[in-house]
PDB file of all heavy atoms in Angstrom:
ATOM      1  N   PHE N1232     124.008 100.821  86.185  1.00 92.00           N
ATOM      2  CA  PHE N1232     123.690  99.410  85.982  1.00 92.00           C
ATOM      3  C   PHE N1232     124.914  98.568  85.590  1.00 92.00           C
ATOM      4  O   PHE N1232     124.856  97.340  85.619  1.00 92.00           O
ATOM      5  CB  PHE N1232     122.599  99.264  84.920  1.00 92.00           C
ATOM      6  CG  PHE N1232     121.261  99.761  85.374  1.00 92.00           C
ATOM      7  CD1 PHE N1232     120.739 100.953  84.895  1.00 92.00           C
ATOM      8  CD2 PHE N1232     120.528  99.053  86.317  1.00 92.00           C
ATOM      9  CE1 PHE N1232     119.501 101.420  85.332  1.00 92.00           C
ATOM     10  CE2 PHE N1232     119.290  99.506  86.757  1.00 92.00           C
ATOM     11  CZ  PHE N1232     118.780 100.694  86.264  1.00 92.00           C
ATOM     12  N   TYR N1233     126.003  99.246  85.260  1.00 89.00           N
ATOM     13  CA  TYR N1233     127.213  98.542  84.818  1.00 89.00           C
ATOM     14  C   TYR N1233     128.036  98.027  85.989  1.00 89.00           C
ATOM     15  O   TYR N1233     128.588  96.932  85.924  1.00 89.00           O
ATOM     16  CB  TYR N1233     128.062  99.492  83.959  1.00 89.00           C
ATOM     17  CG  TYR N1233     129.392  98.922  83.518  1.00 89.00           C
ATOM     18  CD1 TYR N1233     129.469  98.025  82.458  1.00 89.00           C
ATOM     19  CD2 TYR N1233     130.583  99.304  84.154  1.00 89.00           C
ATOM     20  CE1 TYR N1233     130.693  97.512  82.047  1.00 89.00           C
ATOM     21  CE2 TYR N1233     131.809  98.795  83.754  1.00 89.00           C
ATOM     22  CZ  TYR N1233     131.860  97.898  82.698  1.00 89.00           C
ATOM     23  OH  TYR N1233     133.072  97.392  82.297  1.00 89.00           O
ATOM     24  N   ASN N1234     128.125  98.816  87.051  1.00 85.00           N
ATOM     25  CA  ASN N1234     129.026  98.462  88.147  1.00 85.00           C
ATOM     26  C   ASN N1234     128.352  98.661  89.501  1.00 85.00           C
ATOM     27  O   ASN N1234     128.250  99.783  90.000  1.00 85.00           O
ATOM     28  CB  ASN N1234     130.308  99.298  88.056  1.00 85.00           C
ATOM     29  CG  ASN N1234     131.417  98.759  88.928  1.00 85.00           C
ATOM     30  OD1 ASN N1234     131.183  98.303  90.048  1.00 85.00           O
ATOM     31  ND2 ASN N1234     132.641  98.809  88.433  1.00 85.00           N
ATOM     32  N   PHE N1235     127.901  97.569  90.103  1.00 89.00           N
ATOM     33  CA  PHE N1235     127.211  97.614  91.384  1.00 89.00           C
ATOM     34  C   PHE N1235     128.124  98.151  92.493  1.00 89.00           C
ATOM     35  O   PHE N1235     127.683  98.902  93.362  1.00 89.00           O
ATOM     36  CB  PHE N1235     126.715  96.212  91.753  1.00 89.00           C
ATOM     37  CG  PHE N1235     126.141  96.108  93.133  1.00 89.00           C
ATOM     38  CD1 PHE N1235     124.864  96.579  93.406  1.00 89.00           C
ATOM     39  CD2 PHE N1235     126.878  95.554  94.174  1.00 89.00           C
ATOM     40  CE1 PHE N1235     124.329  96.498  94.683  1.00 89.00           C
ATOM     41  CE2 PHE N1235     126.354  95.470  95.447  1.00 89.00           C
ATOM     42  CZ  PHE N1235     125.073  95.935  95.705  1.00 89.00           C
ATOM     43  N   PHE N1236     129.415  97.774  92.451  1.00 92.00           N
ATOM     44  CA  PHE N1236     130.342  98.184  93.509  1.00 92.00           C
ATOM     45  C   PHE N1236     130.615  99.689  93.472  1.00 92.00           C
ATOM     46  O   PHE N1236     130.814 100.308  94.512  1.00 92.00           O
ATOM     47  CB  PHE N1236     131.640  97.386  93.398  1.00 92.00           C
ATOM     48  CG  PHE N1236     131.464  95.935  93.735  1.00 92.00           C
ATOM     49  CD1 PHE N1236     131.457  94.971  92.737  1.00 92.00           C
ATOM     50  CD2 PHE N1236     131.264  95.529  95.045  1.00 92.00           C
ATOM     51  CE1 PHE N1236     131.275  93.633  93.045  1.00 92.00           C
ATOM     52  CE2 PHE N1236     131.072  94.198  95.372  1.00 92.00           C
ATOM     53  CZ  PHE N1236     131.084  93.238  94.366  1.00 92.00           C
ATOM     54  N   ASP N1237     130.611 100.276  92.269  1.00 92.00           N
ATOM     55  CA  ASP N1237     130.733 101.740  92.178  1.00 92.00           C
ATOM     56  C   ASP N1237     129.562 102.411  92.881  1.00 92.00           C
ATOM     57  O   ASP N1237     129.733 103.421  93.575  1.00 92.00           O
ATOM     58  CB  ASP N1237     130.775 102.187  90.713  1.00 92.00           C
ATOM     59  CG  ASP N1237     132.179 102.116  90.127  1.00 92.00           C
ATOM     60  OD1 ASP N1237     133.104 101.721  90.853  1.00 92.00           O
ATOM     61  OD2 ASP N1237     132.342 102.467  88.946  1.00 92.00           O
ATOM     62  N   ASN N1238     128.371 101.843  92.698  1.00 94.00           N
ATOM     63  CA  ASN N1238     127.185 102.412  93.338  1.00 94.00           C
ATOM     64  C   ASN N1238     127.282 102.319  94.858  1.00 94.00           C
ATOM     65  O   ASN N1238     126.951 103.270  95.575  1.00 94.00           O
ATOM     66  CB  ASN N1238     125.912 101.692  92.868  1.00 94.00           C
ATOM     67  CG  ASN N1238     125.737 101.754  91.370  1.00 94.00           C
ATOM     68  OD1 ASN N1238     126.185 102.698  90.716  1.00 94.00           O
ATOM     69  ND2 ASN N1238     125.092 100.752  90.801  1.00 94.00           N
ATOM     70  N   MET N1239     127.738 101.165  95.342  1.00 95.00           N
ATOM     71  CA  MET N1239     127.897 100.991  96.784  1.00 95.00           C
ATOM     72  C   MET N1239     128.924 101.971  97.344  1.00 95.00           C
ATOM     73  O   MET N1239     128.707 102.592  98.388  1.00 95.00           O
ATOM     74  CB  MET N1239     128.314  99.548  97.103  1.00 95.00           C
ATOM     75  CG  MET N1239     127.237  98.519  96.848  1.00 95.00           C
ATOM     76  SD  MET N1239     125.732  98.832  97.810  1.00 95.00           S
ATOM     77  CE  MET N1239     126.354  98.670  99.471  1.00 95.00           C
ATOM     78  N   LYS N1240     130.034 102.124  96.625  1.00 95.00           N
ATOM     79  CA  LYS N1240     131.080 103.062  97.065  1.00 95.00           C
ATOM     80  C   LYS N1240     130.545 104.490  97.072  1.00 95.00           C
ATOM     81  O   LYS N1240     130.830 105.258  98.001  1.00 95.00           O
ATOM     82  CB  LYS N1240     132.301 102.956  96.156  1.00 95.00           C
ATOM     83  CG  LYS N1240     133.136 101.703  96.356  1.00 95.00           C
ATOM     84  CD  LYS N1240     134.437 101.743  95.575  1.00 95.00           C
ATOM     85  CE  LYS N1240     134.217 101.614  94.092  1.00 95.00           C
ATOM     86  NZ  LYS N1240     135.478 101.531  93.322  1.00 95.00           N
ATOM     87  N   GLU N1241     129.787 104.839  96.028  1.00 95.00           N
ATOM     88  CA  GLU N1241     129.244 106.200  95.936  1.00 95.00           C
ATOM     89  C   GLU N1241     128.263 106.487  97.063  1.00 95.00           C
ATOM     90  O   GLU N1241     128.360 107.517  97.746  1.00 95.00           O
ATOM     91  CB  GLU N1241     128.548 106.379  94.583  1.00 95.00           C
ATOM     92  CG  GLU N1241     127.949 107.760  94.363  1.00 95.00           C
ATOM     93  CD  GLU N1241     128.978 108.858  94.210  1.00 95.00           C
ATOM     94  OE1 GLU N1241     130.157 108.548  93.908  1.00 95.00           O
ATOM     95  OE2 GLU N1241     128.617 110.028  94.384  1.00 95.00           O
ATOM     96  N   ILE N1242     127.341 105.581  97.268  1.00 94.00           N
ATOM     97  CA  ILE N1242     126.306 105.785  98.299  1.00 94.00           C
ATOM     98  C   ILE N1242     126.930 105.799  99.697  1.00 94.00           C
ATOM     99  O   ILE N1242     126.611 106.667 100.523  1.00 94.00           O
ATOM    100  CB  ILE N1242     125.222 104.692  98.195  1.00 94.00           C
ATOM    101  CG1 ILE N1242     124.405 104.889  96.908  1.00 94.00           C
ATOM    102  CG2 ILE N1242     124.293 104.737  99.403  1.00 94.00           C
ATOM    103  CD1 ILE N1242     123.533 103.717  96.533  1.00 94.00           C
ATOM    104  N   LEU N1243     127.826 104.858  99.963  1.00 96.00           N
ATOM    105  CA  LEU N1243     128.485 104.818 101.276  1.00 96.00           C
ATOM    106  C   LEU N1243     129.361 106.049 101.487  1.00 96.00           C
ATOM    107  O   LEU N1243     129.400 106.609 102.593  1.00 96.00           O
ATOM    108  CB  LEU N1243     129.323 103.544 101.406  1.00 96.00           C
ATOM    109  CG  LEU N1243     128.542 102.237 101.573  1.00 96.00           C
ATOM    110  CD1 LEU N1243     129.480 101.036 101.509  1.00 96.00           C
ATOM    111  CD2 LEU N1243     127.767 102.240 102.882  1.00 96.00           C
ATOM    112  N   GLY N1244     130.053 106.476 100.426  1.00 95.00           N
ATOM    113  CA  GLY N1244     130.899 107.663 100.528  1.00 95.00           C
ATOM    114  C   GLY N1244     130.092 108.908 100.844  1.00 95.00           C
ATOM    115  O   GLY N1244     130.465 109.694 101.732  1.00 95.00           O
ATOM    116  N   ILE N1245     128.980 109.084 100.140  1.00 95.00           N
ATOM    117  CA  ILE N1245     128.110 110.240 100.393  1.00 95.00           C
ATOM    118  C   ILE N1245     127.545 110.172 101.811  1.00 95.00           C
ATOM    119  O   ILE N1245     127.459 111.184 102.513  1.00 95.00           O
ATOM    120  CB  ILE N1245     126.971 110.305  99.347  1.00 95.00           C
ATOM    121  CG1 ILE N1245     127.543 110.672  97.974  1.00 95.00           C
ATOM    122  CG2 ILE N1245     125.910 111.335  99.761  1.00 95.00           C
ATOM    123  CD1 ILE N1245     126.520 110.634  96.848  1.00 95.00           C
ATOM    124  N   ALA N1246     127.158 108.955 102.235  1.00 95.00           N
ATOM    125  CA  ALA N1246     126.617 108.780 103.593  1.00 95.00           C
ATOM    126  C   ALA N1246     127.660 109.163 104.651  1.00 95.00           C
ATOM    127  O   ALA N1246     127.334 109.822 105.642  1.00 95.00           O
ATOM    128  CB  ALA N1246     126.170 107.333 103.791  1.00 95.00           C
ATOM    129  N   VAL N1247     128.904 108.766 104.424  1.00 96.00           N
ATOM    130  CA  VAL N1247     129.980 109.109 105.367  1.00 96.00           C
ATOM    131  C   VAL N1247     130.206 110.615 105.410  1.00 96.00           C
ATOM    132  O   VAL N1247     130.346 111.209 106.488  1.00 96.00           O
ATOM    133  CB  VAL N1247     131.297 108.378 104.984  1.00 96.00           C
ATOM    134  CG1 VAL N1247     132.477 108.948 105.775  1.00 96.00           C
ATOM    135  CG2 VAL N1247     131.163 106.888 105.234  1.00 96.00           C
ATOM    136  N   ILE N1248     130.218 111.248 104.232  1.00 96.00           N
ATOM    137  CA  ILE N1248     130.413 112.703 104.161  1.00 96.00           C
ATOM    138  C   ILE N1248     129.283 113.437 104.884  1.00 96.00           C
ATOM    139  O   ILE N1248     129.515 114.386 105.642  1.00 96.00           O
ATOM    140  CB  ILE N1248     130.509 113.174 102.697  1.00 96.00           C
ATOM    141  CG1 ILE N1248     131.811 112.657 102.071  1.00 96.00           C
ATOM    142  CG2 ILE N1248     130.458 114.699 102.602  1.00 96.00           C
ATOM    143  CD1 ILE N1248     131.891 112.834 100.568  1.00 96.00           C
ATOM    144  N   ILE N1249     128.041 112.965 104.667  1.00 95.00           N
ATOM    145  CA  ILE N1249     126.885 113.574 105.350  1.00 95.00           C
ATOM    146  C   ILE N1249     126.991 113.359 106.859  1.00 95.00           C
ATOM    147  O   ILE N1249     126.719 114.261 107.657  1.00 95.00           O
ATOM    148  CB  ILE N1249     125.565 112.993 104.807  1.00 95.00           C
ATOM    149  CG1 ILE N1249     125.343 113.456 103.365  1.00 95.00           C
ATOM    150  CG2 ILE N1249     124.378 113.420 105.688  1.00 95.00           C
ATOM    151  CD1 ILE N1249     124.159 112.794 102.680  1.00 95.00           C
ATOM    152  N   GLY N1250     127.398 112.147 107.255  1.00 95.00           N
ATOM    153  CA  GLY N1250     127.538 111.835 108.684  1.00 95.00           C
ATOM    154  C   GLY N1250     128.586 112.703 109.360  1.00 95.00           C
ATOM    155  O   GLY N1250     128.359 113.229 110.458  1.00 95.00           O
ATOM    156  N   ILE N1251     129.733 112.870 108.698  1.00 95.00           N
ATOM    157  CA  ILE N1251     130.792 113.719 109.256  1.00 95.00           C
ATOM    158  C   ILE N1251     130.339 115.178 109.315  1.00 95.00           C
ATOM    159  O   ILE N1251     130.606 115.889 110.288  1.00 95.00           O
ATOM    160  CB  ILE N1251     132.082 113.588 108.415  1.00 95.00           C
ATOM    161  CG1 ILE N1251     132.634 112.166 108.527  1.00 95.00           C
ATOM    162  CG2 ILE N1251     133.132 114.599 108.880  1.00 95.00           C
ATOM    163  CD1 ILE N1251     133.793 111.879 107.595  1.00 95.00           C
ATOM    164  N   THR N1252     129.623 115.601 108.261  1.00 95.00           N
ATOM    165  CA  THR N1252     129.106 116.977 108.235  1.00 95.00           C
ATOM    166  C   THR N1252     128.098 117.201 109.350  1.00 95.00           C
ATOM    167  O   THR N1252     128.060 118.280 109.965  1.00 95.00           O
ATOM    168  CB  THR N1252     128.456 117.281 106.872  1.00 95.00           C
ATOM    169  OG1 THR N1252     129.415 117.090 105.832  1.00 95.00           O
ATOM    170  CG2 THR N1252     127.942 118.718 106.817  1.00 95.00           C
ATOM    171  N   TYR N1253     127.279 116.188 109.617  1.00 94.00           N
ATOM    172  CA  TYR N1253     126.291 116.284 110.708  1.00 94.00           C
ATOM    173  C   TYR N1253     126.998 116.463 112.049  1.00 94.00           C
ATOM    174  O   TYR N1253     126.542 117.225 112.901  1.00 94.00           O
ATOM    175  CB  TYR N1253     125.426 115.022 110.727  1.00 94.00           C
ATOM    176  CG  TYR N1253     124.385 115.015 111.822  1.00 94.00           C
ATOM    177  CD1 TYR N1253     123.211 115.764 111.693  1.00 94.00           C
ATOM    178  CD2 TYR N1253     124.578 114.271 112.987  1.00 94.00           C
ATOM    179  CE1 TYR N1253     122.253 115.762 112.693  1.00 94.00           C
ATOM    180  CE2 TYR N1253     123.627 114.266 113.992  1.00 94.00           C
ATOM    181  CZ  TYR N1253     122.469 115.019 113.843  1.00 94.00           C
ATOM    182  OH  TYR N1253     121.518 115.026 114.846  1.00 94.00           O
ATOM    183  N   LYS N1254     128.127 115.776 112.209  1.00 93.00           N
ATOM    184  CA  LYS N1254     128.868 115.865 113.480  1.00 93.00           C
ATOM    185  C   LYS N1254     129.676 117.162 113.560  1.00 93.00           C
ATOM    186  O   LYS N1254     129.784 117.771 114.615  1.00 93.00           O
ATOM    187  CB  LYS N1254     129.800 114.652 113.607  1.00 93.00           C
ATOM    188  CG  LYS N1254     130.439 114.520 114.978  1.00 93.00           C
ATOM    189  CD  LYS N1254     131.105 113.185 115.132  1.00 93.00           C
ATOM    190  CE  LYS N1254     131.739 113.025 116.518  1.00 93.00           C
ATOM    191  NZ  LYS N1254     130.752 113.049 117.604  1.00 93.00           N
ATOM    192  N   PHE N1255     130.227 117.574 112.400  1.00 93.00           N
ATOM    193  CA  PHE N1255     131.020 118.809 112.358  1.00 93.00           C
ATOM    194  C   PHE N1255     130.371 119.737 111.321  1.00 93.00           C
ATOM    195  O   PHE N1255     130.775 119.753 110.154  1.00 93.00           O
ATOM    196  CB  PHE N1255     132.474 118.512 111.974  1.00 93.00           C
ATOM    197  CG  PHE N1255     133.138 117.523 112.870  1.00 93.00           C
ATOM    198  CD1 PHE N1255     133.271 116.195 112.489  1.00 93.00           C
ATOM    199  CD2 PHE N1255     133.627 117.910 114.117  1.00 93.00           C
ATOM    200  CE1 PHE N1255     133.881 115.274 113.320  1.00 93.00           C
ATOM    201  CE2 PHE N1255     134.246 116.995 114.956  1.00 93.00           C
ATOM    202  CZ  PHE N1255     134.366 115.666 114.564  1.00 93.00           C
ATOM    203  N   SER N1256     129.370 120.470 111.752  1.00 91.00           N
ATOM    204  CA  SER N1256     128.521 121.234 110.833  1.00 91.00           C
ATOM    205  C   SER N1256     129.273 122.317 110.050  1.00 91.00           C
ATOM    206  O   SER N1256     128.836 122.737 108.981  1.00 91.00           O
ATOM    207  CB  SER N1256     127.357 121.879 111.600  1.00 91.00           C
ATOM    208  OG  SER N1256     127.829 122.674 112.673  1.00 91.00           O
ATOM    209  N   GLY N1257     130.414 122.745 110.551  1.00 89.00           N
ATOM    210  CA  GLY N1257     131.193 123.764 109.848  1.00 89.00           C
ATOM    211  C   GLY N1257     131.705 123.287 108.499  1.00 89.00           C
ATOM    212  O   GLY N1257     132.015 124.101 107.619  1.00 89.00           O
ATOM    213  N   LEU N1258     131.758 121.979 108.307  1.00 92.00           N
ATOM    214  CA  LEU N1258     132.244 121.421 107.047  1.00 92.00           C
ATOM    215  C   LEU N1258     131.333 121.767 105.872  1.00 92.00           C
ATOM    216  O   LEU N1258     131.776 121.773 104.731  1.00 92.00           O
ATOM    217  CB  LEU N1258     132.376 119.894 107.154  1.00 92.00           C
ATOM    218  CG  LEU N1258     133.530 119.374 108.007  1.00 92.00           C
ATOM    219  CD1 LEU N1258     133.477 117.853 108.085  1.00 92.00           C
ATOM    220  CD2 LEU N1258     134.867 119.816 107.435  1.00 92.00           C
ATOM    221  N   ILE N1259     130.062 122.041 106.156  1.00 94.00           N
ATOM    222  CA  ILE N1259     129.144 122.375 105.064  1.00 94.00           C
ATOM    223  C   ILE N1259     129.586 123.657 104.357  1.00 94.00           C
ATOM    224  O   ILE N1259     129.357 123.838 103.164  1.00 94.00           O
ATOM    225  CB  ILE N1259     127.691 122.509 105.572  1.00 94.00           C
ATOM    226  CG1 ILE N1259     126.719 122.390 104.387  1.00 94.00           C
ATOM    227  CG2 ILE N1259     127.464 123.810 106.338  1.00 94.00           C
ATOM    228  CD1 ILE N1259     125.287 122.186 104.791  1.00 94.00           C
ATOM    229  N   LEU N1260     130.281 124.526 105.073  1.00 93.00           N
ATOM    230  CA  LEU N1260     130.797 125.757 104.477  1.00 93.00           C
ATOM    231  C   LEU N1260     132.132 125.522 103.776  1.00 93.00           C
ATOM    232  O   LEU N1260     132.389 126.088 102.717  1.00 93.00           O
ATOM    233  CB  LEU N1260     130.965 126.830 105.556  1.00 93.00           C
ATOM    234  CG  LEU N1260     131.559 128.167 105.104  1.00 93.00           C
ATOM    235  CD1 LEU N1260     130.659 128.842 104.058  1.00 93.00           C
ATOM    236  CD2 LEU N1260     131.764 129.096 106.290  1.00 93.00           C
ATOM    237  N   PHE N1261     132.955 124.630 104.329  1.00 95.00           N
ATOM    238  CA  PHE N1261     134.334 124.511 103.852  1.00 95.00           C
ATOM    239  C   PHE N1261     134.673 123.246 103.056  1.00 95.00           C
ATOM    240  O   PHE N1261     135.714 123.214 102.404  1.00 95.00           O
ATOM    241  CB  PHE N1261     135.302 124.612 105.036  1.00 95.00           C
ATOM    242  CG  PHE N1261     135.269 125.940 105.730  1.00 95.00           C
ATOM    243  CD1 PHE N1261     134.677 126.066 106.975  1.00 95.00           C
ATOM    244  CD2 PHE N1261     135.811 127.068 105.127  1.00 95.00           C
ATOM    245  CE1 PHE N1261     134.645 127.296 107.626  1.00 95.00           C
ATOM    246  CE2 PHE N1261     135.781 128.301 105.758  1.00 95.00           C
ATOM    247  CZ  PHE N1261     135.193 128.418 107.014  1.00 95.00           C
ATOM    248  N   ALA N1262     133.829 122.215 103.108  1.00 95.00           N
ATOM    249  CA  ALA N1262     134.286 120.977 102.462  1.00 95.00           C
ATOM    250  C   ALA N1262     133.216 120.054 101.888  1.00 95.00           C
ATOM    251  O   ALA N1262     133.488 119.317 100.945  1.00 95.00           O
ATOM    252  CB  ALA N1262     135.139 120.174 103.450  1.00 95.00           C
ATOM    253  N   THR N1263     132.024 120.059 102.413  1.00 96.00           N
ATOM    254  CA  THR N1263     131.047 119.009 102.100  1.00 96.00           C
ATOM    255  C   THR N1263     130.804 118.805 100.606  1.00 96.00           C
ATOM    256  O   THR N1263     130.899 117.689 100.085  1.00 96.00           O
ATOM    257  CB  THR N1263     129.707 119.297 102.803  1.00 96.00           C
ATOM    258  OG1 THR N1263     129.928 119.362 104.214  1.00 96.00           O
ATOM    259  CG2 THR N1263     128.692 118.195 102.507  1.00 96.00           C
ATOM    260  N   PHE N1264     130.495 119.868  99.898  1.00 96.00           N
ATOM    261  CA  PHE N1264     130.117 119.736  98.484  1.00 96.00           C
ATOM    262  C   PHE N1264     131.322 119.416  97.607  1.00 96.00           C
ATOM    263  O   PHE N1264     131.244 118.559  96.715  1.00 96.00           O
ATOM    264  CB  PHE N1264     129.412 121.009  98.013  1.00 96.00           C
ATOM    265  CG  PHE N1264     128.128 121.261  98.733  1.00 96.00           C
ATOM    266  CD1 PHE N1264     128.068 122.150  99.804  1.00 96.00           C
ATOM    267  CD2 PHE N1264     126.966 120.586  98.377  1.00 96.00           C
ATOM    268  CE1 PHE N1264     126.888 122.362 100.495  1.00 96.00           C
ATOM    269  CE2 PHE N1264     125.778 120.785  99.065  1.00 96.00           C
ATOM    270  CZ  PHE N1264     125.738 121.674 100.124  1.00 96.00           C
ATOM    271  N   SER N1265     132.423 120.083  97.848  1.00 96.00           N
ATOM    272  CA  SER N1265     133.624 119.819  97.043  1.00 96.00           C
ATOM    273  C   SER N1265     134.172 118.429  97.327  1.00 96.00           C
ATOM    274  O   SER N1265     134.653 117.743  96.411  1.00 96.00           O
ATOM    275  CB  SER N1265     134.693 120.871  97.329  1.00 96.00           C
ATOM    276  OG  SER N1265     134.994 120.940  98.704  1.00 96.00           O
TER     277      SER N1265
END
């Protein structure tokens, strides 16, 4: 509730990581969570 832009960055960042992982599924083993 303190910083709306942090929330936007977090949600968009996670969405991008999920999107890239969806396209390159091998990332779930080597990079997605970290």
